């Protein structure tokens, strides 16, 4: 499980944890983002929600689209670039977006560069975004993660965030997917997290 004794600080569209800084995507991020979304180990699990990205120009178009879409998303929805606080290095992305086809359920998604796998960073980012969602005035009571079968790393991350497996469905994306759910009351059931919301 994620270390639930740490602090999550929410300041507008920025979220920090002990090791991570989550911030909105910027157009300057394309080259660093390609190391994440262009990696075959990452992209193989993302289609059709996100098609593989082959070069910096394609990544630039995608990041520019994310930047443009940011103003149209209803809080607490969003996409965040994930940086290491210690170095400022961009190492991943995390999102909270409506699931198709009816946009009634919210999905947490996380992607990290393969060179930082195995350190619990994806779970830390997912946990922070879950706090941001549940503490918003929107009244959200549950969040989901949907994963392709055999995405064992993604399933392990979902469990570390505190999510429980609830079954399989073909409701989303026209694919047979594993569904994990996190209820608001279960977010920190293994210990406290201090959350500060700056105004």
């Amino acid at each position: 499980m994620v270390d639930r004794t740490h602090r999550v600080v929410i300041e507008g569209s920025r979220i920090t944890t002990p090791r991570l800084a989550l911030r909105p995507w910027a157009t300057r991020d394309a080259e660093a983002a390609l190391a994440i979304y262009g990696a075959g180990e990452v992209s193989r699990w993302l289609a059709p929600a996100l098609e593989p990205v082959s070069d910096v120009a394609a990544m630039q178009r995608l990041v520019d689209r994310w930047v443009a879409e940011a103003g149209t998303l209803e809080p607490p929805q969003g996409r965040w670039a994930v940086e290491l606080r210690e170095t400022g290095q961009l190492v991943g992305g995390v999102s909270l977006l409506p699931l198709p086809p009816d946009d009634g359920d919210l999905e947490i998604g996380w992607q990290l560069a393969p060179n930082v796998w195995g350190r619990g960073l994806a779970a830390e980012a997912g946990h922070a975004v879950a706090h941001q969602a549940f503490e918003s005035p929107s009244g959200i009571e549950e969040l989901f993660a949907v994963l392709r079968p055999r995405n064992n790393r993604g399933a392990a991350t979902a469990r570390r965030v505190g999510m429980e497996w609830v079954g399989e469905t073909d409701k989303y994306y026209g694919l047979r997917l594993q569904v994990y759910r996190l209820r608001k009351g279960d977010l920190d059931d293994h210990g406290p997290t201090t959350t500060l919301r700056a105004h």
Side-chain angles (χ1 to χ4, degrees):
M1 301 298 290
V2 172
D3 172 7
R4 308 253 189 228
T5 62
H6 69 255
R7 180 179 293 188
V8 175
V9 179
I10 302 166
E11 297 180 275
S13 60
R14 296 178 178 268
I15 308 168
T16 57
T17 68
R19 297 185 293 170
L20 302 176
L22 283 60
R23 59 158 175 85
W25 287 95
T27 57
R28 69 180 184 278
D29 293 327
E31 191 168 335
L34 184 62
I36 303 155
Y37 296 93
E41 308 98 297
V42 176
S43 64
R44 67 183 288 209
W45 304 112
L46 301 179
L50 182 65
E51 293 302 322
V53 182
S54 57
D55 56 37
V56 174
M59 192 73 240
Q60 186 69 62
R61 288 189 296 274
L62 185 57
V63 170
D64 288 345
R65 191 181 86 209
W66 292 346
V67 170
E69 287 176 354
T72 68
L73 296 172
E74 285 279 323
Q77 298 171 32
R79 294 181 190 271
W80 295 265
V82 177
E83 295 177 338
L84 297 177
R85 285 183 63 183
E86 190 173 304
T87 64
Q89 178 188 1
L90 177 64
V91 295
V94 64
S95 59
L96 182 65
L97 297 169
L99 276 163
D102 60 11
D103 296 343
D105 297 325
L106 285 179
E107 175 191 17
I108 297 180
W110 49 78
Q111 298 81 39
L112 285 185
N115 67 328
V116 297
W117 285 1
R119 296 164 52 184
L121 299 175
E124 191 168 322
H127 179 251
V129 168
H131 267 278
Q132 187 266 158
F134 289 141
E135 294 170 18
S136 74
S138 57
I140 292 170
E141 294 294 324
E142 59 184 8
L143 300 171
F144 295 89
V146 295
L147 307 167
R148 288 178 181 266
R150 300 184 312 281
N151 184 352
N152 298 329
R153 183 176 294 277
T157 298
R159 288 191 296 273
R160 283 193 298 274
V161 170
M163 301 180 124
E164 63 177 350
W165 182 80
V166 293
E168 292 187 352
T169 186
D170 55 9
K171 174 181 176 182
Y172 309 116
Y173 301 111
L175 299 171
R176 191 83 179 150
L177 297 170
Q178 302 289 315
V179 180
Y180 288 80
R181 178 180 59 205
L182 179 63
R183 290 188 171 124
K184 183 175 183 177
D186 295 333
L187 177 58
D188 289 318
D189 63 354
H190 296 281
T193 293
T194 302
T195 305
L196 300 176
R197 185 175 285 275
H199 300 287

